[in-house]
Amino acid sequence: MHTYKTLTLAEAHLMLDAAQKKAEELGVPEVLCVADNAGYPIALRRLDGGKITSVQIAMNKAFTAAGHRKRTDNYKNSLPGEEAFGIWTQHGGRFTVFVGGFPIVVDGQCVGGIGASGGNGEQDIACCEAGIAAFMATLGK
């Protein structure tokens, strides 16, 4: 039997608060999602002005990061003829290979994922990193 850790709603909101603060500093109307260790949303936040198309994208980024346990921008080998070509067709098209999804890892175990959509790659990354940093600070890490 395995025992898995996952995030609480309060922890998800703590990360969304920090990610939102970063988005506001950057002036970007992001959509932000925190998912559990299985990749399913715990909390989603669409900032004022956030694109409706970014909702599903943020959810998919969090899903991919948590489920595959790596950053979504690590798929540099997903072009035609490469090893991971077509991977985005998996899981009903939810698998995402572009910037803005991060796994959340505590003591070597993936406990969830965070996704941001609405800015450019650097902005989405900054929001995710801010959310994770705030969570890790509460753990003393």
Side-chain angles (χ1 to χ4, degrees):
M1 182 181 308
H2 295 281
T3 302
Y4 295 100
K5 294 180 182 179
T6 193
L7 300 166
T8 65
L9 180 61
E11 291 165 336
H13 280 293
L14 177 126
M15 283 185 268
L16 291 180
D17 289 345
Q20 178 176 345
K21 181 179 177 186
K22 177 54 80 176
E24 289 169 346
E25 287 172 10
L26 297 170
V28 181
E30 293 273 2
V31 177
L32 308 161
C33 181
V34 174
D36 65 15
N37 62 337
Y40 290 94
I42 297 172
L44 177 88
R45 191 172 298 174
R46 187 172 126 205
L47 305 188
D48 291 342
K51 297 176 229 156
I52 59 169
T53 54
S54 290
V55 172
Q56 191 66 47
I57 294 170
M59 289 169 55
N60 290 349
K61 288 179 179 183
F63 169 83
T64 302
H68 216 62
R69 296 173 177 84
K70 67 186 206 180
R71 289 171 52 152
T72 56
D73 62 334
N74 279 346
Y75 295 93
K76 307 291 185 216
N77 60 347
S78 60
L79 296 173
E82 295 181 337
E83 181 179 331
F85 178 67
I87 197 166
W88 63 86
T89 66
Q90 303 305 298
H91 301 284
R94 293 186 64 203
F95 204 97
T96 302
V97 298
F98 46 87
V99 176
F102 284 70
I104 302 162
V105 179
V106 176
D107 299 328
Q109 187 176 86
C110 183
V111 299
I114 185 169
S117 179
N120 63 35
E122 290 177 2
Q123 293 164 330
D124 289 355
I125 287 171
C127 292
C128 290
E129 288 177 338
I132 292 171
F135 172 61
M136 292 300 177
T138 68
L139 302 177
K141 299 188 184 282

